Amino acid sequence: MQLVADVYYIWLNKVITFLSLVLVAASALFMFVPPLESLMDGFGLSIVSLIIALATAMYGLFLFAREARKNPWIAGAYGFMLFSLNLINLIHSTGQMNSWFMVPWLILAFFGGLFGIFGAVAMSFLVTIYFVIAETGPNNSGVLSLTSTGGLIGTYVAGMIGYLVWRRKFIDSESAKVRQLTGQLKTKQQQAELLIQSIADGMIVVTPTGVVSLMNPAAAKLTEWSVDEASGIDVHLVVKLQTEDSKDIDNDQNPFNTVFQKKQPIDQTLQLIGRNGAQRVVSLVVSPVLAGKNDEVTGAIAIIRDVSAARAEEKRRADFISTASHEMRTPVAAIEGYLALAMNERVSSIDMKARNYLEKAHSSTQHLGKLFQDLLTSAKAEDGRLVSHPTAVEMSAFLMQLTDSLRFAAEKKGLLLDFVIGSASSAGERVVKPLYYVKVDPDRLSEVITNLFDNAVKYTESGRISIGLTGNKDVVQFYIKDTGHGIPADDVSHLFQKFYRVDNSSTRTVGGTGLGLFICRKIVEIYKGRIWVESEEGKGSTFYINLPRLSSQTANELIALNQSQSTGTAGSQ
C-alpha cells in the first residue's frame, strides 16, 4: 500500500528521527547532570521514554531506508507508531489530558493522514484506549472528564482534517507503479547515455530519413562536428566518405543508403573527410534497426573506428615485403638459371648422384621463387598496386582453352579433367553454349583459376577435377570441383586469409605458401566478384567464383573500344 509519494514518508521519518534524538539527548542530560535531574519529572522523561526514543532514532537512522525500498508506507508506519507510543507515555507522565504534550499529539494526529484512513483510525483508537484506561482507573471516578472528552474529540478532528488534506496527494497503486517504472526508465536512460558517451569508437544513430539523431563525443571528434550541431543534420553532410584511394562514392554505394535498401549490415573500410578537411581511414560498420513483423527499418546505427595508424603500418609492412621480394627474386632467378644449366647435358656432364642433388636444389629454388612472387603479388593486391587491364572476356571459350592447357598436369597424376557448361554432367553431352561475358583482366583471372586448379591437383589423390560454368542474367559463375580430402568445417571461414594453411595429416606433407587463396580473393574482389568454398571432409571441395555479367551489347562495345585503343597505340609507335 502506498498513499502518497515516497518523499513525504522520507521527510516524516527525518522529523520523527530528529525529535527522538532530541528526547534521547535531553534524557541523557537530565540523568547525568545532577542540577538538572529534578527537571526530568517536569518533562515526563524516564527510562521508558529514553528506551522508546532510542529505538525510534535507531530505526530511523539505520533501518528505515532498507524497509522503504520494499514498501515506503510500511517503513513510515513503523517509525510513526513508535513515536506515537512515546508521545502517549509523555502525556501520561505530565498530567494526562492537561499535559502540554497534547499539542504535538494533535499535530501528530494530523500527519497520521499520510497513512490514509488507517492512520487516522489508528491514532483515534490508540488515544481512546489510553484515555478509557486512564480515566476509569481505581483512582478516578470512572467517567471521562470534559478535558478527556475534548482531547478525544480533538484527536478525531485532527486525524480527519489530516486525512482530507493529504487525500489530495494520494496516488493509487497503478500510479505508484508508473512512477516507479518511470524512475527506472530514467535510470536506464542515464546509464545508456553514460555508456554511449564513454565508448571509444564513434557512434552515430540515424533516423529512417537519414538525419543524425544521436552522436557520441568520439564520433564528433572524427567528423569534426559538435554533437549539438550535428543533431538534425543529414548524415551524408556529417559523415563524408570516399574510397581509400580518395575516389568519390556514388549514392547507391554509400553505406547508409545501402543499409536502408538491403536491410543488412555493411562493413567497409573507407576514408572519412572531416568538416575541417582532415582525412582519416576508418572502419565503418552500419547496421539497420529493424522493428515489426515486416522488419521495417526504423533507423541505423553506425560505428566508426579510426584505423589510419593501422593502415599506415600495413602499408609500411607491405612496402618492405614488396621491396625485399623484388630484390631477392633476382639472385634466386640467377641461381635457378645456373642450376638449370648445370643439369643440361649439352652444357655439363655430371653423374647421377650429383644430378639428384641438383634437381632437389632446383626444386627448392623454384619454390623459393614462387614464395617471393606470391609475397610481391599479395603486397601489391593489398595496397591497390596490382596491375590490371580489364576487358570483355567470354568465359566459355576462355575456360575451355584454359582447361586444355591444364589437362596435362591432371593426367600426369592420373586424374580426370572435364569442363562442364550449365547443367551438363560431362564434356561429352551436347549443350547450347550461351555467351557469358565478364569484364576482367584475362591474365589475372587465369592466375586465379590456375591457382585453384593446382590446389585441386595437389590435394586429390584419385578421381576427377571438374571445371564448370553457369550463370544468369546478372551473374557468371564458374567453379573448380575436386574429389580430394576436403576441408574441415572449422577451417573454411579462415581459408582466404593471408598465410593461413589447413593443418592436418592430409595437407602437412604438401608444400605451399599460404598466400595463393588470399591472392585469389583479392583479384576476384578487384572485379567486384565473390569467391567461396563448399567442402566436406572425405568428399572433396568446390571453389565457386561469381562475377558480374556483361550484356552482349556492352561486351561488344568494350571489345571495340579496346581494339581502337590498341590500334591507336600501334599507330603512334
Side-chain angles (χ1 to χ4, degrees):
M1 179 186 294
Q2 175 155 346
L3 300 174
V4 294
D6 297 355
V7 64
Y8 292 102
Y9 298 117
I10 293 172
W11 275 106
L12 180 63
N13 174 72
K14 289 181 178 180
V15 172
I16 288 175
T17 303
F18 173 74
L19 295 176
S20 298
L21 288 173
V22 170
L23 290 175
V24 171
S27 299
L29 184 64
F30 294 160
M31 289 176 62
F32 298 106
V33 179
L36 301 177
E37 187 175 354
S38 59
L39 298 175
M40 286 190 64
D41 293 337
F43 284 95
L45 301 177
S46 63
I47 295 298
V48 175
S49 62
L50 175 61
I51 293 174
I52 298 176
L54 187 61
T56 306
M58 293 299 101
Y59 172 80
L61 291 173
F62 302 108
L63 299 178
F64 173 81
R66 186 181 67 182
E67 294 298 325
R69 284 194 292 267
K70 302 175 184 177
N71 191 318
W73 185 89
I74 293 179
Y78 287 156
F80 184 80
M81 294 306 295
L82 282 173
F83 190 75
S84 299
L85 289 175
N86 207 6
L87 204 52
I88 288 180
N89 175 63
L90 293 174
I91 291 172
H92 179 72
S93 303
T94 55
Q96 299 181 0
M97 297 307 295
N98 296 317
S99 172
W100 64 271
F101 280 109
M102 283 298 299
V103 175
W105 172 262
L106 294 176
I107 296 174
L108 190 66
F110 172 80
F111 281 97
L114 286 171
F115 302 94
I117 196 67
F118 169 82
V121 171
M123 292 293 290
S124 301
F125 179 77
L126 189 63
V127 77
T128 301
I129 294 298
Y130 165 71
F131 286 117
V132 167
I133 294 174
E135 292 294 329
T136 59
N139 299 325
N140 295 303
S141 62
V143 179
L144 290 176
S145 64
L146 184 60
T147 306
S148 298
T149 303
L152 287 175
I153 295 174
T155 301
Y156 301 153
V157 172
M160 186 56 63
I161 293 174
Y163 172 75
L164 294 175
V165 170
W166 295 113
R167 190 173 183 276
R168 299 177 182 178
K169 299 186 178 295
F170 285 178
I171 55 175
D172 55 36
S173 58
E174 292 300 321
S175 299
K177 292 179 181 178
V178 170
R179 290 168 64 92
Q180 184 178 9
L181 180 59
T182 302
Q184 292 176 351
L185 290 175
K186 287 182 179 178
T187 302
K188 295 292 184 182
Q189 184 178 4
Q190 291 171 352
Q191 292 175 352
E193 290 178 354
L194 180 62
L195 181 62
I196 291 171
Q197 300 300 318
S198 62
I199 293 176
D201 293 336
M203 191 184 82
I204 298 177
V205 180
V206 183
T207 67
T209 58
V211 172
V212 176
S213 63
L214 178 65
M215 183 168 72
N216 70 345
K221 183 178 180 180
L222 291 172
T223 60
E224 299 181 332
W225 281 73
S226 69
V227 175
D228 294 334
E229 288 179 323
S231 181
I233 302 296
D234 191 319
V235 69
H236 298 94
L237 298 177
V238 178
V239 185
K240 294 182 179 180
L241 299 171
Q242 292 181 338
T243 61
E244 285 193 70
D245 53 358
S246 301
K247 295 180 180 179
D248 293 333
I249 299 176
D250 297 334
N251 287 332
D252 57 345
Q253 295 179 341
N254 189 285
F256 291 97
N257 297 338
T258 305
V259 162
F260 288 127
Q261 293 170 0
K262 296 184 177 181
K263 300 181 180 181
Q264 294 179 348
I266 300 295
D267 186 353
Q268 291 181 332
T269 301
L270 299 168
Q271 185 169 259
L272 175 65
I273 310 300
R275 189 179 187 182
N276 299 324
Q279 297 180 350
R280 295 180 177 88
V281 179
V282 298
S283 171
L284 177 66
V285 180
V286 186
S287 302
V289 179
L290 305 177
K293 296 181 179 180
N294 298 325
D295 286 340
E296 297 180 0
V297 180
T298 59
I301 299 177
I303 302 297
I304 309 174
R305 174 174 293 179
D306 189 349
V307 295
S308 301
R311 271 292 190 270
E313 180 63 29
E314 288 178 6
K315 187 178 185 306
R316 287 192 294 269
R317 187 164 54 247
D319 289 342
F320 170 77
I321 293 174
S322 178
T323 302
S325 301
H326 181 75
E327 294 298 326
M328 286 188 286
R329 281 180 62 205
T330 302
V332 169
I335 294 171
E336 185 180 351
Y338 286 125
L339 289 173
L341 288 173
M343 292 186 295
N344 191 330
E345 295 178 355
R346 297 179 181 180
V347 177
S348 62
S349 298
I350 55 175
D351 58 24
M352 293 302 296
K353 189 173 184 180
R355 177 176 295 277
N356 183 40
Y357 292 150
L358 290 175
E359 286 177 350
K360 290 180 179 179
H362 187 258
S363 176
S364 297
T365 305
Q366 286 181 319
H367 177 73
L368 187 60
K370 179 67 165 57
L371 173 60
F372 289 147
Q373 179 61 45
D374 285 348
L375 285 170
L376 184 60
T377 304
S378 66
K380 290 181 178 180
E382 279 189 296
D383 58 19
R385 292 185 293 113
L386 197 63
V387 177
S388 176
H389 302 289
T391 184
V393 177
E394 204 286 297
M395 286 302 299
S396 57
F398 178 79
L399 287 176
M400 187 175 294
Q401 181 180 358
L402 191 58
T403 302
D404 290 337
S405 66
L406 297 173
R407 192 177 302 278
F408 175 74
E411 293 176 349
K412 183 179 179 181
K413 196 174 180 181
L415 302 173
L416 298 176
L417 176 64
D418 53 27
F419 176 55
V420 181
I421 296 181
S423 59
S425 59
S426 67
E429 294 189 24
R430 289 182 173 273
V431 296
V432 177
K433 298 179 180 179
L435 298 177
Y436 291 113
Y437 284 105
V438 294
K439 185 180 180 181
V440 296
D441 184 329
D443 293 334
R444 291 298 177 195
L445 189 59
S446 176
E447 183 179 349
V448 172
I449 297 172
T450 302
N451 201 325
L452 296 176
F453 174 80
D454 289 343
N455 282 346
V457 172
K458 281 195 295 185
Y459 297 111
T460 303
E461 300 299 329
S462 61
R464 72 170 61 237
I465 296 173
S466 300
I467 298 178
L469 174 67
T470 185
N472 55 34
K473 63 184 183 66
D474 298 318
V475 174
V476 174
Q477 182 180 97
F478 52 95
Y479 60 85
I480 293 88
K481 182 178 182 180
D482 64 58
T483 57
H485 303 290
I487 303 169
D490 293 340
D491 292 307
V492 169
S493 61
H494 306 285
L495 209 57
F496 296 95
Q497 296 175 359
K498 189 193 294 186
F499 297 117
Y500 188 85
R501 297 194 67 222
V502 178
D503 185 18
N504 58 32
S505 58
S506 62
T507 63
R508 205 170 288 126
T509 57
V510 180
T513 63
L515 289 170
L517 293 179
F518 171 78
I519 294 172
C520 289
R521 176 173 68 86
K522 284 295 184 179
I523 293 175
V524 170
E525 289 176 350
I526 290 176
Y527 309 116
K528 299 181 180 180
R530 176 177 172 239
I531 182 172
W532 75 98
V533 63
E534 295 179 2
S535 182
E536 184 176 350
E537 285 191 88
K539 296 186 178 181
S541 306
T542 304
F543 285 82
Y544 293 91
I545 296 176
N546 280 5
L547 292 173
R549 183 175 182 177
L550 295 178
S551 65
S552 297
Q553 180 181 353
T554 304
N556 291 329
E557 292 174 354
L558 188 59
I559 292 172
L561 178 62
N562 288 336
Q563 288 177 347
S564 64
Q565 290 176 346
S566 299
T567 303
T569 303
S572 63
Q573 294 176 348

